[in-house]
Coordinates of all heavy atoms in Angstrom, one line a residue:
M1 N 36.9 126.6 -51.7 CA 36.3 127.2 -52.9 C 35.5 126.1 -53.7 O 36.0 125.0 -53.8 CB 37.4 127.8 -53.8 CG 36.8 128.4 -55.0 SD 38.1 129.2 -56.1 CE 38.6 130.5 -55.0
I2 N 34.4 126.5 -54.1 CA 33.6 125.6 -54.9 C 33.8 125.9 -56.4 O 33.8 127.0 -56.8 CB 32.0 125.7 -54.6 CG1 31.8 125.5 -53.1 CG2 31.2 124.8 -55.4 CD1 32.0 124.1 -52.7
F3 N 33.9 124.8 -57.2 CA 34.1 125.0 -58.6 C 32.9 124.3 -59.4 O 32.5 123.2 -59.0 CB 35.4 124.3 -59.1 CG 36.6 125.0 -58.6 CD1 37.2 124.6 -57.4 CD2 37.2 126.0 -59.4 CE1 38.3 125.3 -57.0 CE2 38.4 126.6 -59.0 CZ 38.9 126.2 -57.7
D4 N 32.4 124.9 -60.4 CA 31.4 124.3 -61.3 C 32.2 123.6 -62.4 O 33.1 124.2 -63.0 CB 30.5 125.4 -61.9 CG 29.6 126.0 -60.9 OD1 29.1 125.2 -60.0 OD2 29.3 127.2 -60.9
I5 N 31.9 122.4 -62.6 CA 32.6 121.6 -63.6 C 31.6 121.2 -64.7 O 30.5 120.8 -64.4 CB 33.1 120.3 -63.0 CG1 33.8 120.5 -61.7 CG2 33.9 119.5 -64.0 CD1 35.1 121.3 -61.8
E6 N 32.0 121.3 -66.0 CA 31.2 120.8 -67.1 C 32.2 120.0 -68.0 O 33.3 120.4 -68.3 CB 30.7 122.0 -67.9 CG 29.9 121.6 -69.1 CD 29.3 122.8 -69.9 OE1 28.2 123.2 -69.5 OE2 30.0 123.2 -70.9
V7 N 31.7 118.8 -68.3 CA 32.5 117.9 -69.2 C 31.6 117.6 -70.4 O 30.4 117.1 -70.2 CB 32.8 116.6 -68.5 CG1 33.6 115.6 -69.4 CG2 33.6 116.8 -67.2
K8 N 32.1 117.9 -71.6 CA 31.4 117.6 -72.8 C 32.1 116.4 -73.4 O 33.3 116.4 -73.7 CB 31.4 118.7 -73.8 CG 30.6 119.9 -73.3 CD 30.6 121.1 -74.3 CE 29.8 122.2 -73.8 NZ 29.8 123.3 -74.8
V9 N 31.3 115.3 -73.6 CA 31.8 114.0 -74.2 C 31.2 113.8 -75.6 O 30.0 113.9 -75.7 CB 31.5 112.8 -73.3 CG1 32.1 111.5 -73.8 CG2 32.0 113.1 -71.8
S10 N 32.1 113.6 -76.5 CA 31.6 113.4 -77.9 C 32.4 112.2 -78.5 O 33.5 111.9 -78.1 CB 31.8 114.6 -78.8 OG 33.1 115.0 -78.9
L11 N 31.9 111.6 -79.6 CA 32.6 110.6 -80.3 C 33.7 111.1 -81.1 O 33.6 112.2 -81.7 CB 31.6 109.8 -81.2 CG 30.6 108.9 -80.4 CD1 29.5 108.4 -81.4 CD2 31.4 107.7 -79.8
K12 N 34.8 110.4 -81.2 CA 35.9 110.8 -82.1 C 35.5 110.8 -83.6 O 34.5 110.0 -83.9 CB 37.1 110.0 -81.8 CG 37.8 110.2 -80.5 CD 39.0 109.4 -80.4 CE 39.7 109.8 -79.0 NZ 41.0 109.1 -78.9
E13 N 36.2 111.5 -84.4 CA 35.9 111.5 -85.9 C 36.0 110.0 -86.3 O 36.9 109.3 -85.9 CB 36.9 112.3 -86.6 CG 36.6 113.8 -86.7 CD 35.2 114.1 -87.3 OE1 34.9 113.6 -88.4 OE2 34.6 114.9 -86.7
G14 N 35.1 109.7 -87.2 CA 35.2 108.3 -87.8 C 34.4 107.2 -87.0 O 34.2 106.2 -87.5
M15 N 34.0 107.5 -85.8 CA 33.2 106.6 -85.0 C 31.7 106.6 -85.5 O 31.2 107.7 -85.8 CB 33.3 106.9 -83.5 CG 34.7 106.9 -82.9 SD 35.6 105.3 -83.2 CE 34.5 104.1 -82.4
L16 N 31.1 105.5 -85.6 CA 29.7 105.5 -85.9 C 28.9 106.1 -84.8 O 29.1 105.9 -83.6 CB 29.2 104.0 -86.2 CG 29.9 103.3 -87.3 CD1 29.4 101.8 -87.4 CD2 29.6 104.0 -88.6
N17 N 27.9 106.9 -85.2 CA 27.0 107.6 -84.3 C 25.6 107.3 -84.7 O 24.9 108.1 -85.4 CB 27.3 109.1 -84.3 CG 26.6 109.8 -83.2 OD1 25.6 109.4 -82.6 ND2 27.2 111.0 -82.8
P18 N 25.0 106.2 -84.3 CA 23.6 105.9 -84.7 C 22.6 106.8 -84.2 O 21.6 107.1 -84.9 CB 23.4 104.5 -84.1 CG 24.5 104.3 -83.1 CD 25.6 105.1 -83.4
E19 N 22.8 107.5 -83.1 CA 21.9 108.5 -82.5 C 21.8 109.7 -83.5 O 20.7 110.1 -83.9 CB 22.3 108.9 -81.1 CG 21.3 109.9 -80.5 CD 21.8 110.2 -79.1 OE1 23.0 110.1 -78.7 OE2 20.9 110.7 -78.3
A20 N 23.0 110.2 -83.9 CA 23.0 111.3 -84.8 C 22.4 110.9 -86.2 O 21.7 111.7 -86.8 CB 24.4 111.8 -85.0
T21 N 22.6 109.7 -86.6 CA 22.1 109.2 -87.9 C 20.5 109.2 -87.8 O 19.8 109.6 -88.8 CB 22.6 107.8 -88.2 OG1 24.0 107.9 -88.3 CG2 22.0 107.3 -89.6
T22 N 20.0 108.7 -86.7 CA 18.6 108.7 -86.5 C 18.0 110.1 -86.5 O 16.9 110.4 -87.1 CB 18.2 108.0 -85.2 OG1 18.7 106.6 -85.3 CG2 16.7 108.0 -84.9
I23 N 18.7 111.1 -85.9 CA 18.2 112.5 -85.8 C 18.2 113.0 -87.2 O 17.2 113.7 -87.6 CB 19.2 113.3 -84.9 CG1 18.9 112.9 -83.5 CG2 18.9 114.8 -85.1 CD1 20.0 113.4 -82.5
E24 N 19.3 112.8 -88.0 CA 19.3 113.3 -89.4 C 18.1 112.7 -90.2 O 17.4 113.4 -91.0 CB 20.6 112.9 -90.1 CG 21.8 113.7 -89.7 CD 23.1 113.4 -90.5 OE1 22.9 112.6 -91.5 OE2 24.1 113.9 -90.1
R25 N 17.9 111.4 -90.1 CA 16.8 110.8 -90.9 C 15.4 111.3 -90.4 O 14.6 111.6 -91.3 CB 16.9 109.3 -90.7 CG 18.0 108.6 -91.4 CD 18.0 107.1 -91.2 NE 19.1 106.5 -91.9 CZ 19.7 105.4 -91.5 NH1 19.1 104.7 -90.6 NH2 20.7 105.0 -92.2
S26 N 15.2 111.5 -89.2 CA 14.0 112.0 -88.7 C 13.7 113.4 -89.1 O 12.6 113.8 -89.5 CB 13.9 111.9 -87.1 OG 14.0 110.6 -86.7
L27 N 14.8 114.3 -89.1 CA 14.6 115.6 -89.5 C 14.4 115.7 -91.0 O 13.6 116.5 -91.5 CB 15.9 116.5 -89.2 CG 16.0 116.8 -87.7 CD1 17.3 117.4 -87.4 CD2 14.9 117.7 -87.2
A28 N 15.0 114.8 -91.8 CA 14.7 114.7 -93.2 C 13.2 114.4 -93.5 O 12.6 115.0 -94.4 CB 15.6 113.7 -93.9
L29 N 12.6 113.5 -92.6 CA 11.2 113.2 -92.8 C 10.4 114.4 -92.5 O 9.2 114.5 -93.0 CB 10.9 112.0 -91.9 CG 11.4 110.6 -92.3 CD1 11.2 109.6 -91.2 CD2 10.9 110.2 -93.6
L30 N 10.9 115.3 -91.7 CA 10.1 116.5 -91.4 C 10.4 117.6 -92.4 O 9.9 118.7 -92.3 CB 10.5 117.0 -90.0 CG 10.0 116.1 -88.9 CD1 10.6 116.6 -87.5 CD2 8.5 116.0 -88.8
G31 N 11.2 117.3 -93.4 CA 11.5 118.3 -94.4 C 12.7 119.2 -94.2 O 13.0 120.1 -95.0
Y32 N 13.6 118.8 -93.3 CA 14.8 119.6 -93.0 C 16.0 118.9 -93.6 O 16.1 117.7 -93.4 CB 15.0 119.8 -91.5 CG 13.9 120.6 -90.9 CD1 12.9 120.0 -90.1 CD2 13.8 122.0 -91.0 CE1 11.9 120.7 -89.5 CE2 12.8 122.7 -90.4 CZ 11.9 122.0 -89.7 OH 10.9 122.7 -89.0
D33 N 16.8 119.6 -94.3 CA 18.1 119.0 -94.9 C 19.2 119.3 -93.9 O 19.8 120.3 -93.9 CB 18.3 119.7 -96.2 CG 19.5 119.1 -96.9 OD1 19.8 117.9 -96.7 OD2 20.1 119.7 -97.8
V34 N 19.5 118.3 -93.1 CA 20.6 118.4 -92.1 C 21.7 117.4 -92.4 O 21.4 116.3 -92.8 CB 20.0 118.0 -90.7 CG1 21.1 118.1 -89.6 CG2 18.9 119.0 -90.3
K35 N 22.9 117.9 -92.3 CA 24.1 117.0 -92.6 C 25.0 117.0 -91.4 O 25.1 118.0 -90.7 CB 24.8 117.5 -93.9 CG 24.0 117.6 -95.1 CD 23.7 116.3 -95.7 CE 23.0 116.4 -97.0 NZ 21.8 115.6 -97.1
N36 N 25.7 116.0 -91.3 CA 26.8 115.9 -90.3 C 26.4 116.2 -88.8 O 27.0 116.8 -88.1 CB 28.0 116.8 -90.7 CG 28.6 116.4 -92.0 OD1 28.8 115.2 -92.3 ND2 28.9 117.4 -92.8
A37 N 25.2 115.6 -88.5 CA 24.7 115.8 -87.1 C 25.7 115.1 -86.1 O 26.3 114.1 -86.5 CB 23.3 115.2 -87.0
K38 N 25.9 115.6 -85.0 CA 26.7 115.0 -83.9 C 26.0 115.2 -82.6 O 25.2 116.1 -82.4 CB 28.1 115.8 -83.8 CG 28.9 115.6 -85.1 CD 30.2 116.4 -85.0 CE 30.9 116.2 -86.3 NZ 32.2 116.8 -86.5
T39 N 26.3 114.2 -81.8 CA 25.7 114.3 -80.4 C 26.8 114.5 -79.4 O 27.9 114.0 -79.6 CB 24.9 113.0 -80.1 OG1 25.8 111.9 -80.2 CG2 23.7 112.8 -81.0
V40 N 26.4 115.2 -78.3 CA 27.4 115.5 -77.2 C 26.6 115.2 -75.9 O 25.5 115.7 -75.8 CB 27.8 116.9 -77.3 CG1 28.7 117.3 -76.1 CG2 28.6 117.2 -78.6
D41 N 27.3 114.5 -75.0 CA 26.8 114.4 -73.6 C 27.4 115.4 -72.8 O 28.7 115.6 -72.8 CB 27.1 113.0 -73.1 CG 26.3 111.9 -73.8 OD1 25.2 112.1 -74.1 OD2 26.9 110.8 -74.0
I42 N 26.6 116.1 -72.0 CA 27.2 117.2 -71.1 C 26.9 116.7 -69.6 O 25.8 116.4 -69.3 CB 26.5 118.5 -71.3 CG1 26.7 119.0 -72.8 CG2 27.0 119.6 -70.3 CD1 26.0 120.2 -73.1
I43 N 28.0 116.6 -68.9 CA 27.9 116.2 -67.5 C 28.3 117.4 -66.7 O 29.4 118.0 -66.9 CB 28.9 115.0 -67.3 CG1 28.6 113.9 -68.2 CG2 28.8 114.6 -65.8 CD1 29.7 112.9 -68.3
K44 N 27.5 117.8 -65.7 CA 27.7 118.9 -64.9 C 27.7 118.5 -63.4 O 26.9 117.7 -63.0 CB 26.7 120.0 -65.0 CG 26.8 120.7 -66.4 CD 25.8 121.8 -66.5 CE 25.8 122.5 -67.8 NZ 25.0 123.7 -67.8
F45 N 28.7 119.0 -62.6 CA 28.7 118.8 -61.2 C 29.6 119.8 -60.5 O 30.2 120.7 -61.2 CB 29.3 117.4 -60.9 CG 30.6 117.0 -61.5 CD1 31.8 117.2 -60.8 CD2 30.7 116.5 -62.8 CE1 33.0 116.9 -61.4 CE2 31.9 116.2 -63.4 CZ 33.0 116.4 -62.7
Q46 N 29.7 119.8 -59.2 CA 30.5 120.7 -58.5 C 31.6 120.0 -57.6 O 31.3 118.8 -57.2 CB 29.6 121.6 -57.5 CG 28.7 122.5 -58.2 CD 27.8 123.3 -57.3 OE1 27.6 122.8 -56.1 NE2 27.3 124.4 -57.7
M47 N 32.7 120.6 -57.5 CA 33.8 120.1 -56.6 C 34.3 121.1 -55.7 O 34.3 122.3 -56.1 CB 34.9 119.5 -57.5 CG 34.5 118.2 -58.3 SD 35.9 117.6 -59.2 CE 37.0 117.0 -57.9
E48 N 34.8 120.7 -54.6 CA 35.4 121.7 -53.7 C 36.9 121.5 -53.6 O 37.4 120.3 -53.6 CB 34.8 121.5 -52.2 CG 35.2 122.5 -51.3 CD 34.5 122.4 -50.0 OE1 33.4 121.7 -49.9 OE2 34.9 123.0 -49.0
G49 N 37.6 122.6 -53.6 CA 39.1 122.5 -53.5 C 39.7 123.9 -53.6 O 38.9 124.9 -53.7
E50 N 41.0 124.0 -53.4 CA 41.6 125.3 -53.4 C 42.4 125.6 -54.7 O 42.6 126.7 -55.1 CB 42.6 125.4 -52.3 CG 41.9 125.4 -50.9 CD 40.9 126.5 -50.8 OE1 41.2 127.7 -51.2 OE2 39.8 126.3 -50.2
D51 N 42.8 124.6 -55.4 CA 43.6 124.7 -56.6 C 42.8 124.3 -57.9 O 42.5 123.1 -58.0 CB 44.9 123.9 -56.4 CG 45.8 124.0 -57.6 OD1 45.6 124.8 -58.5 OD2 46.8 123.1 -57.6
R52 N 42.6 125.2 -58.8 CA 41.9 124.9 -60.0 C 42.5 123.8 -60.9 O 41.9 123.0 -61.4 CB 41.8 126.2 -60.8 CG 41.0 126.1 -62.1 CD 40.9 127.5 -62.7 NE 39.9 127.5 -63.7 CZ 39.4 128.6 -64.2 NH1 39.8 129.8 -63.8 NH2 38.4 128.6 -65.1
E53 N 43.9 123.9 -61.0 CA 44.6 122.9 -61.8 C 44.5 121.5 -61.1 O 44.4 120.5 -61.9 CB 46.0 123.3 -62.0 CG 46.2 124.4 -63.0 CD 45.5 124.1 -64.3 OE1 45.7 123.0 -64.9 OE2 44.7 125.0 -64.8
A54 N 44.5 121.4 -59.8 CA 44.3 120.1 -59.1 C 43.0 119.5 -59.4 O 42.8 118.3 -59.6 CB 44.6 120.2 -57.6
I55 N 41.9 120.4 -59.4 CA 40.6 120.0 -59.7 C 40.5 119.5 -61.1 O 40.0 118.4 -61.4 CB 39.6 121.2 -59.5 CG1 39.5 121.6 -58.0 CG2 38.2 120.9 -60.1 CD1 38.8 120.7 -57.1
R56 N 41.1 120.2 -62.1 CA 41.2 119.8 -63.5 C 41.8 118.4 -63.6 O 41.3 117.6 -64.3 CB 41.9 120.8 -64.3 CG 42.0 120.4 -65.8 CD 42.6 121.5 -66.7 NE 41.7 122.6 -66.9 CZ 40.7 122.7 -67.7 NH1 40.4 121.6 -68.4 NH2 40.0 123.7 -67.8
E57 N 42.9 118.2 -62.9 CA 43.6 116.9 -63.0 C 42.7 115.8 -62.5 O 42.6 114.7 -63.0 CB 44.9 117.0 -62.2 CG 46.0 117.8 -62.9 CD 47.2 117.9 -62.0 OE1 47.4 117.1 -61.1 OE2 48.0 118.8 -62.3
D58 N 42.0 116.1 -61.4 CA 41.0 115.1 -60.9 C 39.9 114.8 -61.9 O 39.5 113.6 -62.1 CB 40.4 115.6 -59.6 CG 41.3 115.5 -58.4 OD1 42.4 114.8 -58.5 OD2 41.0 116.1 -57.4
V59 N 39.4 115.8 -62.6 CA 38.3 115.6 -63.6 C 38.9 114.8 -64.8 O 38.2 113.9 -65.3 CB 37.7 117.0 -64.0 CG1 36.7 116.7 -65.1 CG2 37.1 117.6 -62.7
V60 N 40.1 115.1 -65.2 CA 40.7 114.3 -66.3 C 40.8 112.8 -65.9 O 40.4 112.0 -66.7 CB 42.1 114.8 -66.6 CG1 42.9 113.8 -67.5 CG2 42.1 116.2 -67.3
D61 N 41.2 112.6 -64.6 CA 41.2 111.2 -64.1 C 39.8 110.6 -64.2 O 39.7 109.4 -64.6 CB 41.8 111.2 -62.7 CG 42.1 109.7 -62.3 OD1 42.7 109.0 -63.0 OD2 41.6 109.4 -61.1
M62 N 38.8 111.3 -63.7 CA 37.4 110.8 -63.8 C 37.0 110.5 -65.2 O 36.4 109.4 -65.4 CB 36.5 111.9 -63.2 CG 36.6 112.2 -61.8 SD 35.4 113.6 -61.4 CE 36.1 114.1 -59.8
C63 N 37.4 111.3 -66.2 CA 37.0 111.1 -67.6 C 37.7 109.8 -68.1 O 37.1 109.0 -68.7 CB 37.4 112.3 -68.4 SG 36.4 113.7 -68.2
E64 N 39.0 109.7 -67.8 CA 39.8 108.5 -68.3 C 39.3 107.2 -67.6 O 39.4 106.2 -68.3 CB 41.3 108.7 -68.0 CG 41.9 109.9 -68.7 CD 42.1 109.7 -70.2 OE1 42.4 108.6 -70.5 OE2 41.9 110.7 -70.9
R65 N 38.8 107.3 -66.4 CA 38.5 106.1 -65.7 C 37.0 105.7 -65.7 O 36.6 104.5 -65.5 CB 38.9 106.2 -64.2 CG 40.4 106.3 -64.1 CD 40.9 106.5 -62.7 NE 40.6 105.3 -61.9 CZ 40.6 105.3 -60.5 NH1 40.8 106.4 -59.9 NH2 40.3 104.2 -59.9
L66 N 36.1 106.7 -65.9 CA 34.7 106.4 -65.8 C 33.8 107.1 -66.7 O 32.9 106.5 -67.3 CB 34.2 106.7 -64.3 CG 32.7 106.5 -64.0 CD1 32.4 105.0 -64.1 CD2 32.3 107.2 -62.7
L67 N 34.0 108.4 -66.9 CA 33.0 109.2 -67.6 C 33.0 109.0 -69.1 O 32.0 109.3 -69.8 CB 33.2 110.8 -67.3 CG 33.0 111.1 -65.8 CD1 33.3 112.6 -65.6 CD2 31.6 110.8 -65.3
C68 N 34.1 108.5 -69.7 CA 34.1 108.3 -71.1 C 35.1 107.1 -71.4 O 35.8 106.7 -70.5 CB 34.5 109.5 -71.9 SG 36.1 110.1 -71.7
N69 N 35.0 106.7 -72.6 CA 36.0 105.7 -73.1 C 37.0 106.4 -74.0 O 36.7 106.8 -75.1 CB 35.2 104.6 -73.9 CG 36.2 103.6 -74.5 OD1 37.4 103.8 -74.5 ND2 35.6 102.5 -74.9
P70 N 38.2 106.7 -73.5 CA 39.2 107.4 -74.3 C 39.5 106.9 -75.7 O 40.1 107.6 -76.5 CB 40.4 107.5 -73.4 CG 40.0 107.0 -72.1 CD 38.7 106.2 -72.2
V71 N 39.2 105.6 -75.9 CA 39.5 105.0 -77.2 C 38.5 105.6 -78.3 O 38.9 105.8 -79.4 CB 39.4 103.5 -77.1 CG1 39.5 102.8 -78.5 CG2 40.4 102.9 -76.2
I72 N 37.3 105.8 -77.9 CA 36.3 106.3 -78.9 C 35.7 107.7 -78.6 O 35.0 108.2 -79.4 CB 35.1 105.3 -79.0 CG1 34.3 105.2 -77.6 CG2 35.5 103.9 -79.4 CD1 33.0 104.5 -77.7
H73 N 36.0 108.3 -77.4 CA 35.5 109.6 -77.1 C 36.6 110.7 -77.0 O 37.7 110.4 -76.6 CB 34.8 109.5 -75.7 CG 33.5 108.7 -75.7 ND1 33.4 107.6 -74.9 CD2 32.4 108.8 -76.4 CE1 32.2 107.1 -75.1 NE2 31.6 107.8 -76.1
N74 N 36.2 111.9 -77.3 CA 36.9 113.1 -76.9 C 36.1 113.7 -75.8 O 34.9 113.5 -75.7 CB 36.9 114.1 -78.1 CG 37.8 113.6 -79.2 OD1 38.9 113.1 -79.0 ND2 37.4 113.8 -80.5
Y75 N 36.8 114.5 -75.0 CA 36.1 115.3 -74.0 C 36.7 116.6 -73.8 O 37.9 116.8 -74.0 CB 36.1 114.5 -72.6 CG 37.4 114.1 -72.1 CD1 38.1 114.9 -71.2 CD2 38.0 112.9 -72.4 CE1 39.4 114.6 -70.7 CE2 39.2 112.5 -71.9 CZ 39.9 113.3 -71.1 OH 41.1 113.0 -70.6
K76 N 35.9 117.6 -73.4 CA 36.3 118.9 -73.1 C 35.9 119.3 -71.7 O 34.7 119.1 -71.3 CB 35.7 119.9 -74.1 CG 36.2 121.3 -73.9 CD 35.5 122.3 -74.9 CE 35.9 123.7 -74.5 NZ 35.1 124.7 -75.3
I77 N 36.8 119.8 -70.9 CA 36.5 120.1 -69.5 C 36.6 121.6 -69.3 O 37.5 122.3 -69.7 CB 37.6 119.5 -68.6 CG1 37.6 117.9 -68.7 CG2 37.4 119.9 -67.1 CD1 38.8 117.2 -68.0
T78 N 35.5 122.1 -68.6 CA 35.5 123.5 -68.2 C 35.4 123.5 -66.7 O 34.5 122.9 -66.1 CB 34.3 124.2 -68.8 OG1 34.3 124.1 -70.2 CG2 34.3 125.7 -68.5
V79 N 36.3 124.3 -66.0 CA 36.3 124.4 -64.6 C 36.2 125.9 -64.3 O 37.0 126.7 -64.7 CB 37.6 123.9 -63.9 CG1 37.7 124.1 -62.5 CG2 37.9 122.5 -64.3
I80 N 35.1 126.3 -63.6 CA 34.8 127.7 -63.3 C 34.6 127.9 -61.8 O 33.7 127.3 -61.2 CB 33.5 128.2 -64.0 CG1 33.7 128.0 -65.5 CG2 33.2 129.7 -63.6 CD1 32.4 128.2 -66.3
P81 N 35.4 128.7 -61.1 CA 35.2 129.0 -59.7 C 33.8 129.7 -59.6 O 33.5 130.5 -60.3 CB 36.3 130.0 -59.3 CG 37.3 129.9 -60.4 CD 36.6 129.4 -61.6
Q82 N 33.1 129.3 -58.6 CA 31.7 129.8 -58.4 C 31.7 131.3 -58.2 O 30.8 131.9 -58.7 CB 31.0 129.1 -57.3 CG 30.2 127.9 -57.7 CD 29.2 127.4 -56.6 OE1 29.1 127.9 -55.5 NE2 28.5 126.4 -57.0
N83 N 32.6 131.8 -57.5 CA 32.6 133.3 -57.3 C 32.8 134.1 -58.5 O 32.7 135.3 -58.5 CB 33.5 133.7 -56.1 CG 35.0 133.3 -56.5 OD1 35.3 132.7 -57.5 ND2 35.9 133.7 -55.6
S84 N 33.3 133.5 -59.6 CA 33.5 134.2 -60.8 C 32.5 134.0 -61.9 O 32.5 134.6 -63.0 CB 34.9 133.9 -61.4 OG 35.0 132.6 -61.9
A85 N 31.5 133.1 -61.6 CA 30.5 132.8 -62.6 C 29.5 134.0 -62.7 O 29.4 134.8 -61.8 CB 29.7 131.6 -62.1
C86 N 28.9 134.2 -63.8 CA 27.9 135.3 -64.1 C 26.8 135.2 -63.0 O 26.3 134.2 -62.6 CB 27.3 135.1 -65.4 SG 28.5 135.4 -66.8
G87 N 26.5 136.4 -62.5 CA 25.4 136.5 -61.5 C 25.9 136.3 -60.1 O 25.1 136.3 -59.2
A88 N 27.1 136.0 -59.9 CA 27.6 135.6 -58.5 C 28.1 136.9 -57.8 O 28.4 137.9 -58.4 CB 28.7 134.6 -58.6

């Protein structure tokens, strides 16, 4: 079975986010009053396997070892079997 994987990586509360600060300032220059902007990286890929929980455990390992820095990042994992996705 093929699974669609989505990992959303964001900075933990209290971490400096220069990208979001730049976005806020730029939007202010355009006349928009935006507060508390945050940025999120979305990583999408597919994995093959039979057990959804085993796939999730593998993705957690990927996040902890490569996809993010657990000291400064939070991450959210979504695992969807392809045959249950919309339009399938």
Side-chain angles (χ1 to χ4, degrees):
M1 177 180 293
I2 303 290
F3 292 89
D4 291 320
I5 313 296
E6 180 179 273
V7 179
K8 292 182 179 180
V9 181
S10 60
L11 288 169
K12 289 184 175 184
E13 275 305 311
M15 300 304 302
L16 294 178
N17 189 339
E19 184 177 22
T21 302
T22 300
I23 290 168
E24 281 184 12
R25 287 180 184 157
S26 297
L27 288 172
L29 290 173
L30 294 173
Y32 298 102
D33 185 24
V34 176
K35 304 284 186 230
N36 299 318
K38 296 180 181 179
T39 58
V40 176
D41 291 323
I42 299 174
I43 304 163
K44 292 183 178 187
F45 54 93
Q46 295 178 334
M47 290 181 70
E48 189 171 343
E50 294 302 319
D51 181 11
R52 185 180 194 161
E53 285 308 310
I55 294 289
R56 177 177 288 283
E57 287 175 21
D58 285 346
V59 176
V60 167
D61 188 51
M62 291 175 196
C63 289
E64 297 287 324
R65 295 176 68 195
L66 177 71
L67 299 178
C68 69
N69 178 346
V71 174
I72 64 170
H73 293 120
N74 289 320
Y75 57 88
K76 180 181 176 190
I77 299 169
T78 305
V79 178
I80 302 171
Q82 269 196 354
N83 60 356
S84 70
C86 292

